[in-house]
């Protein structure tokens, strides 16, 4: 598990040191640097992980399957400073330091002669590729929307078990691994018809939308798969009638990759999620947090960017219920934006209470209520 991430001269950060835990929540203003943190880990995976686009390892790949960060000039912090501890050079350096016990350092040299290159020369600790060789999911804030077909890639969804950054391979993954069992433990939904992946997915989806069920199937003669929904048990409605994703609630399809990503969690997984709450109703957001907490409780490392007080509270409740130990849930609040970003990390206690509540940290309820009652 990554216990600390240090970013030097990377995008919004001159230097950022961030403790990480089984479940790390990144919260705060728009453009405060939350996604940049997530992107730094995806960038390492893209450049040095088992699925890297080019072989042999050819440097920090700024543009690839996981992230498209532009050029060296784009990622080097505008107000960069020395990074002598990373690389003994006076040249500007972008540094990414991942600690898993020992620190693993990646220092990428900025070549002022070639600022528009999208591959940066690097000095990398030799143990980095091994560190990155773990099950991995990364879902962007911008995910699949309801559609009649989704791609059917054996290489991505089945051989690599990757859902795609937009979750575009989720339906094919579900179709292929329908019967794969979710291991006994916190992730296994007690109300599901069986421990199998599809039934487990349905049970967790029903937490978001009671009565829903889904099917994923190949579309014969094409390179596509299809998804359909059913709504059982509603009086007067034919429960066997299937509906296409475009004719059911948007939030269901938007949330599906998050649910399936959580259900892929193993004790070695690293799962990066941006805005798992998007398009869900408040209770659904809270239940999504319960699922994310369950994935962390199985041993996966979950790093989650969120704007949702319901996700925050869902995690606090998971701690209060004892699903997660207080020290397993880390919360970081990014204050300010642009180059002035600063991070405050309120600690959770065993009752789910927070040791501090900084101004601007999910306080809009009270702010609005004060004005309403004034
Ligand atoms: N090279 C750079 N130097 C300095 N700042 C940079 C550089 N590149 C990007 N930034 C800043 O980094 C921030 C990036 O924000 P990021 O996308 O991480 O936001 P976020 O917290 O995820 O926002 P949201 O909540 O909207 O998703 C922006 O404020 C941007 O101005
Ligand atoms: Mg973001």
């Amino acid at each position: 598990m990554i216990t600390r991430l240090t970013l030097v001269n990377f995008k919004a950060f001159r230097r950022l040191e961030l403790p990480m835990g089984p479940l790390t929540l990144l919260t705060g203003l728009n453009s405060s640097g939350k996604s940049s943190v997530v992107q730094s880990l995806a960038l390492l995976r893209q450049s040095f992980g088992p699925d890297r686009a080019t072989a042999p390892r050819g440097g920090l790949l700024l543009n690839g399957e996981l992230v498209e960060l532009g050029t060296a000039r784009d990622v080097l912090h505008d107000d960069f400073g020395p990074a002598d501890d990373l690389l003994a050079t006076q040249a500007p350096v972008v540094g990414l330091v991942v600690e898993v016990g020992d620190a693993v350092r990646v220092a990428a040299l900025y070549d002022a002669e070639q600022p528009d290159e999208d591959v940066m020369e690097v000095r990398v600790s030799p143990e980095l590729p091994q560190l990155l060789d773990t099950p991995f999911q990364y879902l962007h804030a911008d995910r699949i929307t309801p559609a009649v077909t989704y791609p059917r890639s054996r290489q991505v969804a089945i051989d690599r078990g990757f859902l795609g950054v937009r979750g575009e391979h989720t339906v094919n993954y579900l179709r292929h691994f329908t019967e794969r069992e979710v291991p006994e433990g916190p992730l296994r939904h007690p109300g599901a018809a069986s421990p199998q992946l599809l039934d487990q997915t349905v049970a967790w989806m029903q937490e978001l939308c009671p009565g829903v069920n889904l099917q994923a199937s190949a579309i014969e003669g094409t390179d596509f798969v299809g998804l359909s929904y059913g709504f059982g048990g509603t009086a007067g409605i034919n429960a066997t009638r299937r509906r296409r994703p475009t004719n059911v609630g948007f939030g269901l399809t938007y949330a599906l990759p998050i649910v399936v990503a959580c259900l892929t969690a193993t004790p070695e997984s690293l799962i990066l999620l941006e805005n798992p709450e998007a398009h869900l109703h408040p209770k659904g957001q809270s239940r999504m947090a319960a699922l994310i907490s369950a994935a962390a409780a199985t041993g996966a490392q979950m790093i989650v960017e969120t704007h949702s007080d319901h996700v925050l509270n869902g995690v606090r409740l998971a701690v209060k219920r004892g699903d997660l130990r207080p020290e397993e849930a880390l919360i970081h609040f990014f204050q300010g934006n642009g180059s002035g970003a600063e991070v405050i990390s309120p600690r959770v206690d065993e009752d789910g209470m927070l040791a501090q509540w900084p101004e601007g940290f999910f306080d809009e309820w009270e702010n609005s209520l004060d004005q309403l009652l004034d």
Side-chain angles (χ1 to χ4, degrees), residues 1-2 20-24 134-137 186-187 261-273 291-304 324 328-329:
M1 190 184 70
I2 300 167
M20 300 260 164
L23 174 44
T24 306
T134 57
F136 176 82
Q137 302 291 348
L187 267 181
C262 289
L263 291 174
T264 68
T266 70
E268 295 81 35
S269 303
L270 173 62
I271 300 182
L272 313 175
L273 304 175
L291 173 59
I292 291 167
S293 302
T298 65
Q301 182 160 31
M302 310 294 293
I303 299 175
V304 180
L324 281 178
E328 291 178 322

Side-chain angles (χ1 to χ4, degrees), residues 17 33 51-52 179 189 195 209 232 258 283 323 344 366:
E17 285 193 28
D51 313 314
R52 67 188 169 277
E179 295 177 7
H189 196 292
C209 177
I258 303 278
K283 187 174 177 192
D323 300 344
I344 301 179
E366 283 97 310

Side-chain angles (χ1 to χ4, degrees), residues 29-36 38-39 141 274-275 305-307:
L29 290 179
N30 291 112
S31 268
S32 58
K34 304 178 297 297
S35 291
S36 306
V38 174
Q39 287 164 356
E274 291 184 344
N275 307 97
E305 170 178 353
T306 185
H307 287 299

Side-chain angles (χ1 to χ4, degrees), residues 9-14 27-39 72-79 141 274-275 305-307 334 336-339:
N9 295 332
F10 181 71
K11 293 187 66 181
F13 306 109
R14 164 74 192 85
T27 74
L29 290 179
N30 291 112
S31 268
S32 58
K34 304 178 297 297
S35 291
S36 306
V37 168
V38 174
Q39 287 164 356
R73 193 204 307 258
D74 291 314
V75 296
L76 181 71
H77 181 57
D78 289 347
D79 194 17
E274 291 184 344
N275 307 97
E305 170 178 353
T306 185
H307 287 299
F334 289 65
N337 52 14
S339 308

Side-chain angles (χ1 to χ4, degrees), residues 101-177:
D102 292 336
V104 171
R105 294 168 203 282
V106 174
L109 278 172
Y110 176 79
D111 181 353
E113 307 276 302
Q114 296 185 311
D116 295 322
E117 276 297 319
D118 71 349
V119 180
M120 295 177 80
E121 187 195 327
V122 284
R123 306 286 146 76
V124 186
S125 307
E127 56 279 55
L128 183 69
Q130 193 188 341
L131 172 85
L132 296 170
D133 198 6
T134 57
F136 176 82
Q137 302 291 348
Y138 172 32
L139 288 166
H140 286 188
D142 173 26
R143 296 191 286 276
I144 50 166
T145 54
V148 177
T149 61
Y150 294 98
R152 177 181 179 175
S153 158
R154 181 174 176 97
Q155 196 262 339
V156 183
I158 298 163
D159 298 346
R160 288 168 48 199
F162 185 53
L163 303 181
V165 289
R166 301 186 67 241
E168 64 273 30
H169 299 292
T170 306
V171 180
N172 195 30
Y173 182 93
L174 258 184
R175 178 195 66 86
H176 185 82
F177 294 115

